[in-house]
Structures are given as structure tokens and as C-alpha cells.
Amino acid sequence: MTLDTRNAGAQARPAAPLHAAAARPRWWRRPWIVPLMVVVAAYLIYQISPYVPESKAPTPPHDGFPAYYPLLVVHMVSGTLAIISACFQVWPWLRRRHPAVHRASGRVYVLGAVVGGTCGLIIVRFAPPVGQIGVAAATTLWIVFTVAAVVYARKGRYDLHRRFMLYSFAIIMNNIWGVLIVNVLMRMPWEVGFTYMLEAARWTGWVFNLILVQWWLYHTEGRDIGLPRRRRPVGS
């Protein structure tokens, strides 16, 4: 009697990719997607509305620099595009099912980050001196991380692209922390010094976010996240 091994390889072949695809949660099972978008929308309404029109905008003194408000508007519009598109960038279901939309929203995010960040660095010198270094550091890192993510994507290093895009995401979400920290500290039953309050708002959020993102990268190392495989060098 002979053993028929013609179909042995097919039968023994693991079905992990099929099971993995079936095990991926649907978009509505991602409990953080909708709250993230709601929080971002509430932040934008709360933060932008006081700056329109210019006559009522709570802007710091900027005498001798008439371009301040136009640059501020560009900064806010670009930042708005970036923070909205960031929500779609970190949405796993969209990245897997609609990669073209993921790439398009990524381009919008990069444009918003580079333009908004550059305008922010120009006008940050008019911000209150307290916390100014924190703002400048966060904005600079935002641009650097975003550009690095683009470079690695162009090189086919999607593992590093993901890493630096998450770093960039951590920086932009600092804005929400800043508003939250200031409003919470102002409502404390005891008085909090203005200096400490602004410094906390300018530093705590993005530093904490970067720590959290780094933990997440360690936690998900080796996981299939739906990104393209690393490109092999030509001729290899």
C-alpha cells in the first residue's frame, strides 16, 4: 500500500491568514474610533470659534507684524485638516479595506502638518513666554516626525512609517490635552499658579502621548496591522 501525498501539502498548509482576517474586528467594534472623532470635533468647535472674527479673537499683542492673523488662520485651517485626517489615518478598518483613502488622507495630513507647523513656528514668538519652549519643541517634533514618516514610506519601510506617523499623531493630540489641562486646573478648589498651569499644558500632553505610543508599539510588535510588506531592493 502506498501513501498518497499529493494533497498532503495543501491539507497541511496553515489557514492562519484566513482565520486572522476573520478574527479582525469590524469597524463598529473599535470602541475608540467614534469617541476619538467626537472629542476632536468638540475640540475644534471649542478652540476655533473664539477666533472668528478677528476683532474678537483673543490674540496676543503682535504690533508691527500684520501677517500674524493671516498666518494664524492658515495654521488653524491646516491644523484642522491634519487633526481630522489623523483620525482616519489611525483607523485600522479604513487602512485595510480602503488603502487608497488611507493614502489620500495621509497626504492631507502631511500637508496640514508641514504648513500648519511652519506657520506655528513663525507666530510662536508672540505666544506667552511661559510654555513657549514647550510649544516650539512640540511643533518642531511634529514636523520632523511627519517628514520622517513620509521618507520611510517612500523607501518602503512601512514599519518605520507606522512608528513615526504614530509619533506625529501623539504630538497633534497634545492640543486636546492642553485645553483639558487648563480648564481642569482653572476649576480646582485651590488656586493654581498661572505659570505652572501653562507649562503643564504645553509639556504634559505630548510627552505623555509619546510614552503611550511607545508602549503601544512595544505591545503590538509583530502584529499584522494591514500595512504593505517591506519592499525588497531592486535586483535582490
Side-chain angles (χ1 to χ4, degrees):
M1 181 182 292
T2 60
L3 178 63
D4 188 356
T5 59
R6 286 176 296 177
N7 295 324
Q11 294 173 355
R13 188 176 297 117
L18 180 61
H19 293 319
R24 289 171 183 166
R26 302 292 184 179
W27 69 267
W28 61 82
R29 295 180 184 174
R30 298 279 181 178
W32 51 272
I33 290 292
V34 173
L36 174 65
M37 293 184 176
V38 170
V39 168
V40 167
Y43 162 78
L44 291 174
I45 294 172
Y46 175 85
Q47 190 72 358
I48 294 177
S49 54
Y51 288 88
V52 181
E54 181 180 3
S55 58
K56 298 182 179 180
T59 56
H62 51 275
D63 296 338
F65 191 68
Y68 177 87
Y69 189 75
L71 286 173
L72 177 64
V73 171
V74 174
H75 170 70
M76 295 175 69
V77 171
S78 301
T80 298
L81 291 175
I83 200 169
I84 291 175
S85 57
C87 297
F88 294 97
Q89 283 290 289
V90 297
W91 191 355
W93 177 85
L94 185 70
R95 183 174 63 243
R96 291 191 179 101
R97 296 297 185 88
H98 303 283
V101 178
H102 175 76
R103 289 191 295 269
S105 64
R107 294 186 180 98
V108 173
Y109 178 82
V110 171
L111 179 64
V114 173
V115 174
T118 302
C119 291
L121 288 177
I122 295 173
I123 63 178
V124 71
R125 61 192 178 97
F126 297 102
V130 178
Q132 195 176 95
I133 295 177
V135 173
T139 305
T140 302
L141 288 175
W142 185 34
I143 297 173
V144 171
F145 289 154
T146 305
V147 172
V150 173
V151 171
Y152 282 122
R154 299 289 295 176
K155 291 182 178 180
R157 292 298 308 272
Y158 295 108
D159 53 338
L160 293 176
H161 166 71
R162 174 190 179 234
R163 175 182 295 271
F164 280 93
M165 277 301 290
L166 285 174
Y167 289 158
S168 180
F169 176 74
I171 296 293
I172 194 172
M173 289 301 160
N174 167 64
N175 296 319
I176 297 175
W177 276 115
V179 172
L180 181 63
I181 289 172
V182 169
N183 280 274
V184 168
L185 292 180
M186 289 179 63
R187 288 164 175 77
M188 286 291 181
W190 58 86
E191 184 178 354
V192 179
F194 182 75
T195 299
Y196 297 107
M197 185 167 55
L198 275 189
E199 289 290 357
R202 301 305 193 188
W203 289 95
T204 306
W206 64 270
V207 172
F208 174 77
N209 283 351
L210 284 176
I211 294 173
L212 188 62
V213 161
Q214 191 61 50
W215 170 85
W216 177 251
L217 288 170
Y218 290 144
H219 180 70
T220 60
E221 187 175 3
R223 180 185 298 181
D224 179 15
I225 56 172
L227 286 175
R229 300 297 181 185
R230 178 179 175 182
R231 295 174 184 166
R232 299 184 63 183
V234 177
S236 61

